[in-house]
Each structure stands twice: as C-alpha cells, then as structure tokens.
Amino acid sequence: MSIPVRKFDAVIVGAGGAGLRAAIQLSEAGLKTAVLSKVFPTRSHTVAAQGGVSASLGNSEEDHWHWHMYDTVKGSDWLGDQDAIEFMCRKAPEVVVELEHFGMPFDRTDEGKIYQRPFGGHMSNFGEKPVRRACAAADRTGHAMLHALYQRNVKANTQFFVEWMALDLIRDEDGQVLGVIALEMETGEVVAFHAKATVFATGGAGRIFYSSTNAFINTGDGLGMAARAGIPLEDMEFWQFHPTGVAGAGVLITEGVRGEGGILRNAAGERFMERYAPNAKDLASRDVVSRAMVTEINEGRGCGPNKDFVTLDITHLDPATIMKRLPGIREISIQFAGIDPIKAPIPVVPTCHYQMGGIPTNYKGQVINENGSTVTGFYAAGECACASVHGANRLGTNSLLDLLVFGKSSGDTVIEDMAKMPKTHKELPANFADKTLARLARLENQKNGSNVHETRLAMQRTMQNHCGVFRFKDKLEEGVQKILEIEKQVAITEIKDKSKVWNTARVEALELDNLIEVAKSTMICANARKESRGAHVRDDAPDTAEFPNGRNDKEWHKHTLWQRDGNKLSYKPVNMTPLSVETIALKTRSY
Ligand SMILES: Cc1cc2nc3c(=O)[nH]c(=O)nc-3n(C[C@H](O)[C@H](O)[C@H](O)COP(=O)(O)OP(=O)(O)OC[C@H]3O[C@@H](n4cnc5c(N)ncnc54)[C@H](O)[C@@H]3O)c2cc1C
C-alpha cells in the first residue's frame, strides 16, 4: 500500500526550544524546512520552564565559562563528555545574547543588564560558592524563550505542521535516514515526509513515571521511533528527580525559589540540607537534595499527617520580591497546594523531571551508531538527545542552554552536510511504510486486547516503585520482569473508538508504543549498572572508602548503549578530552 509523499530539504520533529532553534538556522539559510508538532509550538513543554537559562555572563559578579564547564562535569558525576560540555559552556554567552536580540524579555539588573540568579550546583572559581549564572525572565523563562523563538520562525517563514504526530523513521538498507511517516491528527491521514535531513527534537519522556513534572505529551516518541529503527539509546538509567514538585500534584516549583533564598525544612522546622551539603546547602545539585529529602521522610522526619513530604519555606522573603521574581510559583502554590507561600511554607516531594539519556549524538547534533559512526541524514537535539552534556545528573538551567546550543549546532551541521549531498533526494525504498501501516492495522483490528489507560498506569507505577530516587537490587530485578510482562500488554492494546477525525484514543495508544521502549530501556540499564553515580543510586553500591558515594570508576566510568533488538547492552568510553582546555580529572563529588 502506498501513502502520499511530501518532499522537503529538512524535516524537524518537535517545536519546543530545540526544534525551533534548529528551524531558525535552517529556514534563515533558505532550506525548505517542515516542523512537525503534536501541539501548537508554544504549547511544547519548554513553555513550562521556570527558573532560567545558564550562561557565564558575569552580569552581577565575576564568572567564567571554564567554571561553568567544571560545574557541569562535576554535576554529571564525570559521566558527561568533556568535548560537548566545553562546547556548550563556551557557546552559552553567545546564544543567550542572540536570544536577547531575538526579542527575549529577560528581567534586568539596575544597570539594564540581563538579571541572573544562583542555581543548584553553579559555583564560582571551580566549586567555591554559589554564583549568579541563571538568566531569568521572572519564573517564566521557558515561556518567554519559546515565544521569542516562535516569532523568529514566523519571520523566517518556517513551515509548521501543527497537530501532526510522527510515527516512524524512514531508514533504508544502507542505514540512511530519509524522513518520517506521520499522522495528521485532525483527519487521521498518514503521510510520508521525505527529507535529506531529519532532526529529532521531540523532548522528554517523564510520563513513564507515575509522578512527573512533565507535560502529558512528553511520551518519548523520538526515542521510541529511533529504537524501532535500530538506533541505540544511551544512558537511559539516568533520570532526574526534581526536589520540589508540589506534594500530591507533581507540578514543579522551580529551584529558582531556593536561588532567591528559599529553605527546605523537615517536620521539626530544621534546615536539614546543612547536614547533607554543608557548603552549598539548599543549592546542592538536584540528585543530592532529592536523596536528602527522601532520607528525611524515610527516617520519620517528614511533615503532614502521613509524614510524607517536607516544606519549602520562603515566608522570610520580602513579599514584594516574591511578587516580582516568583509570581508564577505563588500562583501554583495557591492553585495546587492551597497555600500562599508569602504566609506559609509549600509542601514538596521529589518528582520525576528530566531524562539525562537519549539518542546518542556528538556536539554537532549528528546521531551516532553503536559502532561510533554517524547515521547519515539523522540529527537530534534537546532533551531527546544525549550529547552527552548532562551525564549522570543535569544541573538546573543547563537544559534550556542545551536547546539553544545544540538546536543551533545541529542546524549548522545539517546545512554543512547538505552542501555535500546530491541535489536530488535519495529514493525511498519500495516498502518504506509497511511496518508503520502494519502497526496501525494491528491496533485497528485488535480484539480482546488490553486497555491503554490501565496498561500505561501499570507501567507508570512499576517505574515509580521499582526505579525511583533510590534503587534496590531486588526491586530492579523484579521491575525488569514486570516491564517485560507489561510490554506484552502494550503489543495487544485495543481501542474502541475507530473514528479517523481527532481520535485521541488512537494517539494515546501510539504514544504508549513509545513509552514502553523508554521504560524498558530505563529499567534494563538501571538493573545492569552495578554502581551509584549521579541520579542512579543503588542500595547494593553504598558509600565506602574504596567507592566514595558508591561510584566505581574502574568498572563503570562508561556510557551505556541499549538496543531494542534483544535488549542488548554495550558500553562506550566517556570522552574525557575537552576541545581546548585540560581534562577535568575524576574526583569524588561533594557539595
Ligand atoms: C516544569 C518544567 C520546568 C523546567 N524548568 C527548566 C528551567 O528553568 N531551566 C532549564 O534549563 N530547564 C528546565 N526544564 C527542562 C527543560 O524545560 C526541557 O528539558 C526542555 O524544555 C525540553 O525542550 P525540547 O525542545 O527538547 O522539547 P519540548 O519542549 O518538550 O518539545 C517537544 C516537541 O516535540 C513535539 N513532539 C513530540 N513527539 C512528537 C511526535 N511524535 N510527532 C510530532 N511532534 C512531536 C512536541 O509537540 C513538542 O513540540 C524544565 C522542565 C519542566 C518539565
């Protein structure tokens, strides 16, 4: 069976910060560029980013990209690739000022410079004391950024396909990527987007967990599509739990609140972070703070009738500062916790927030195969990609920066690569749509199958209980078995509504096909990594003199690669060679 084909120079899947930044590069270079998105561009999850975007502008105090690089390597627990980290931190001032020139309405200092606030793990002078590095527009930085990028794309005549869901990559026998197959949600029509370059910017997959700060659309579609096309996924065991999700609701309270002076307290009102991170205290990196909170709760010092949360206190701040710098947070607290933070502390718990792993790329945005070669025609940027700058733990505000830097660099690489490609498109293989159409037909004709909502819930609960902030050997082993069982249910999902127009049931079933790939890779990689590092902390890899923090560099200082076919695992070395400066040598991490 054949489907309609549309031809473009480049197709970008995703219209969040990474997709829009890449699109500006391509459209302004005159390439015929299509951007596909499940939602209107400015509703992408980037819109929810609150706290800021990092860059060593040094607007309020001395700062240097090399310090930023050091903090990022340390934050990553030395799993980040040092070439990519240097590239990102050096480029940061340039891309942030560029964004300002695109019209981004940053807050200002009294001298009219971009306002910067402190953020967890960002320090001056190679780890001395917190530094003001997060460039912010109140507590709505992502919102301001996404709108600025979208407007710039409108000016550049980028062609948007809004409410289109990409279903699968098109890859030929040589392994070259030739575009995607996508579903128009409004009509149910399936169309091929034939392109010389395909850029994935599909964002995160936090919805594999039960409690998440992520939007409902964050279902890891890019990862699912890449995995089905035989591309490995990198470092999937590393998930960041943000310390401050509103207890019971999951909605995020930005770390910027602690940057502005907020303090975490246990039931006794104690500022417990002083015990866990005497130097950085409440501004230690996220994995450290999340674990401290869970330890307080587990040891009976949690708040409330069930002792199951701690509080974030800003009652000592000037109400005028709260209204000016954190208006969105006050609104969220009132709406979701019924508490005005000017008057009372906010109940918070660690909540799944960010995936450090993803589709393997280099710092140019090219996707990298298992054997280290690049995949012709395929690029990825943003949260779906693993460059790897965040390693085992991302620092706050480094993701918005990642979108700008790698969105732009992947666009530049596409332009360079395309100049070397033949003028005409490489022909599509005869059977390019077969697997996708078979998947759709299976869903259409399924009888006596499983319920999508129930299956997804089972997956989310399994991930939450077996692969959370702390990880236990037995729970992980059991988790692998459970997820493999749930995968069988995903293979037989059934939808009752067969209509073509705006069928959200079909979309949710197709999203579950992607979620399960992410969940499976996460559980399997976490079970395999027998050490603690960054966000991955196991009970059977405790803190000892031989292995401080449970980290075992001799055996585990390496990236994981998972392949869907046979759940095969392999490993590759961490790149310890920066582009221009000296290696930041392995060290024990403490804050
Ligand atoms: C609540 C919250 C607050 C945050 N705050 C900060 C912060 O202050 N600073 C910071 O640095 N980071 C922050 N982060 C992290 C950061 O915002 C995200 O990592 C980042 O915005 C992801 O951007 P992206 O462009 O990769 O993807 P997204 O913005 O998630 O966009 C993904 C795009 O892909 C599209 N898409 C997905 N699948 C398909 C498909 N199958 N077909 C077509 N289109 C598809 C979507 O429609 C969307 O347009 C925050 C995250 C959250 C959840």
Side-chain angles (χ1 to χ4, degrees):
M1 214 171 100
S2 74
I3 56 172
V5 177
R6 298 191 185 183
K7 267 192 194 173
F8 292 87
D9 291 323
V11 53
I12 299 175
V13 183
L20 291 183
R21 188 63 195 81
I24 291 173
Q25 232 39 27
L26 298 180
S27 293
E28 289 188 348
L31 295 181
K32 191 177 169 201
T33 306
V35 178
L36 273 60
S37 176
K38 290 198 284 191
V39 294
F40 193 79
T42 51
R43 299 185 76 103
S44 304
H45 187 65
T46 300
V47 81
Q50 300 172 353
V53 47
S54 55
S56 56
L57 300 175
N59 282 353
S60 303
E61 56 192 320
E62 190 186 352
D63 200 4
H64 197 286
W65 67 260
H66 201 182
W67 299 349
H68 187 185
M69 177 183 172
Y70 176 85
D71 296 340
T72 305
V73 171
K74 177 178 169 185
S76 81
D77 219 346
W78 274 267
L79 195 73
D81 286 336
Q82 297 197 9
D83 57 340
I85 294 177
E86 177 181 339
F87 184 79
M88 181 176 82
C89 297
R90 281 187 86 142
K91 283 271 180 202
E94 174 193 317
V95 292
V96 167
V97 169
E98 202 170 52
L99 183 67
E100 181 191 30
H101 294 177
F102 289 169
M104 166 92 172
F106 282 112
D107 281 4
R108 298 285 158 181
T109 63
D110 291 343
E111 307 88 67
K113 294 179 180 168
I114 293 175
Y115 170 75
Q116 297 186 280
R117 57 165 58 115
F119 238 80
H122 290 279
M123 315 285 267
S124 64
N125 205 14
F126 306 102
E128 211 171 81
K129 63 176 188 0
V131 71
R132 292 179 168 270
R133 190 177 287 147
C135 310
D139 54 1
R140 299 179 176 123
T141 310
H143 183 118
M145 175 168 144
L146 200 60
H147 280 260
L149 293 173
Y150 179 64
Q151 284 164 10
R152 185 82 184 183
N153 269 290
V154 171
K155 186 173 172 216
N157 280 325
T158 303
Q159 202 172 337
F160 286 100
F161 290 81
V162 173
E163 289 160 350
W164 280 74
M165 179 183 183
L167 301 179
D168 277 304
L169 267 180
I170 305 173
R171 213 177 166 201
D172 70 7
E173 278 180 350
D174 308 332
Q176 184 168 341
V177 168
L178 302 172
V180 291
I181 297 166
L183 170 86
E184 186 179 25
M185 286 148 79
E186 188 185 344
T187 60
E189 191 184 10
V190 177
V191 173
F193 287 75
H194 187 187
K196 295 182 199 165
T198 303
V199 184
F200 269 13
T202 52
R207 286 283 153 187
I208 63 167
F209 287 95
Y210 181 66
S211 174
S212 170
T213 66
N214 280 203
F216 282 93
I217 56 168
N218 287 11
T219 52
D221 296 358
L223 282 75
M225 288 187 271
R228 280 194 296 276
I231 310 250
L233 301 182
E234 180 172 345
D235 290 343
M236 291 304 293
E237 59 272 45
F238 298 103
W239 286 80
Q240 178 164 83
F241 284 76
H242 195 293
T244 54
V246 173
V251 185
L252 181 76
I253 301 290
T254 175
E255 190 168 301
V257 171
R258 279 171 285 138
E260 296 289 348
I263 292 170
L264 290 163
R265 297 188 192 281
N266 60 19
E270 183 204 1
R271 184 181 194 180
F272 57 86
M273 280 312 300
E274 287 178 335
R275 278 188 277 120
Y276 297 88
N279 188 24
K281 301 190 179 77
D282 300 88
L283 285 174
S285 81
R286 289 181 177 169
D287 55 334
V288 174
V289 180
S290 287
R291 280 195 296 275
M293 290 167 68
V294 171
T295 305
E296 288 299 299
I297 292 168
N298 287 348
E299 293 179 0
R301 292 186 292 278
C303 307
N306 302 321
K307 298 178 180 296
D308 56 357
F309 60 84
V310 298
T311 61
L312 176 59
D313 187 6
I314 51 171
T315 54
H316 53 287
L317 298 188
D318 177 6
T321 307
I322 297 177
M323 303 294 270
K324 182 171 175 207
R325 300 281 183 220
L326 306 166
I329 287 317
R330 179 164 179 252
E331 207 177 299
I332 287 174
S333 303
I334 293 171
Q335 296 288 344
F336 291 94
I339 276 173
D340 182 347
I342 291 177
K343 298 186 193 128
I346 314 165
V348 289
V349 283
T351 302
C352 170
H353 185 57
Y354 185 86
Q355 76 182 44
M356 266 73 72
I359 302 166
T361 70
N362 55 22
Y363 67 85
K364 297 172 178 170
Q366 292 163 314
V367 174
I368 307 294
N369 252 321
E370 199 186 19
N371 61 11
S373 65
T374 56
V375 181
T376 310
F378 193 28
Y379 309 80
E383 192 168 335
C384 72
C386 181
S388 130
V389 280
H390 310 302
N393 171 64
R394 171 178 74 94
L395 293 188
T397 69
N398 265 357
S399 173
L400 290 188
L401 176 62
D402 162 350
L403 311 182
L404 294 174
V405 170
F406 298 109
K408 183 176 180 182
S409 76
S410 59
D412 284 339
T413 312
V414 166
I415 295 165
E416 258 172 53
D417 289 354
M418 204 155 328
K420 293 177 236 152
M421 283 186 184
K423 286 263 174 303
T424 52
H425 284 63
K426 191 174 179 193
E427 217 168 293
L428 293 175
N431 58 354
F432 75 89
D434 285 5
K435 278 189 185 160
T436 311
L437 294 176
R439 197 152 63 87
L440 290 169
R442 195 285 301 159
L443 184 59
E444 221 54 33
N445 301 322
Q446 183 70 49
K447 299 265 172 0
N448 303 318
S450 61
N451 175 290
V452 172
H453 171 72
E454 283 166 12
T455 310
R456 187 178 53 216
L457 202 60
M459 174 200 70
Q460 290 171 330
R461 287 196 196 281
T462 305
M463 294 310 296
Q464 194 83 24
N465 295 336
H466 292 259
C467 209
V469 174
F470 283 110
R471 294 169 175 183
F472 303 90
K473 181 173 182 286
D474 299 352
K475 283 268 179 195
L476 284 168
E477 284 167 2
E478 211 179 277
V480 171
Q481 294 318 315
K482 282 193 173 179
I483 284 292
L484 294 177
E485 278 306 311
I486 293 168
E487 183 186 23
K488 293 183 192 155
Q489 296 300 309
V490 175
I492 55 161
T493 46
E494 180 181 354
I495 51 172
K496 305 282 183 209
D497 177 359
K498 313 277 184 186
S499 62
K500 291 278 176 224
V501 176
W502 268 115
N503 187 337
T504 49
R506 181 179 294 117
V507 168
E508 283 182 19
L510 293 167
E511 286 177 338
L512 186 57
D513 286 351
N514 298 319
L515 282 166
I516 192 68
E517 300 300 340
V518 180
K520 215 172 27 173
S521 56
T522 299
M523 194 70 91
I524 289 170
C525 296
N527 184 40
R529 184 175 284 271
K530 305 280 189 289
E531 66 156 356
S532 298
R533 183 184 298 270
H536 174 69
V537 171
R538 296 177 61 114
D539 69 323
D540 55 346
D543 188 359
T544 60
E546 191 186 0
F547 301 116
N549 299 333
R551 199 177 85 187
N552 177 350
D553 289 326
K554 222 159 104 199
E555 281 176 73
W556 288 103
H557 186 232
K558 56 190 179 186
H559 296 293
T560 311
L561 292 175
W562 168 85
Q563 290 233 288
R564 179 173 184 262
D565 198 10
N567 287 313
K568 204 178 102 210
L569 293 180
S570 56
Y571 294 89
K572 68 174 181 183
V574 176
N575 187 335
M576 294 291 280
T577 313
L579 300 170
S580 74
V581 289
E582 274 180 27
T583 296
I584 296 174
L586 281 158
K587 219 167 100 178
T588 303
R589 201 164 64 119
S590 66
Y591 284 95

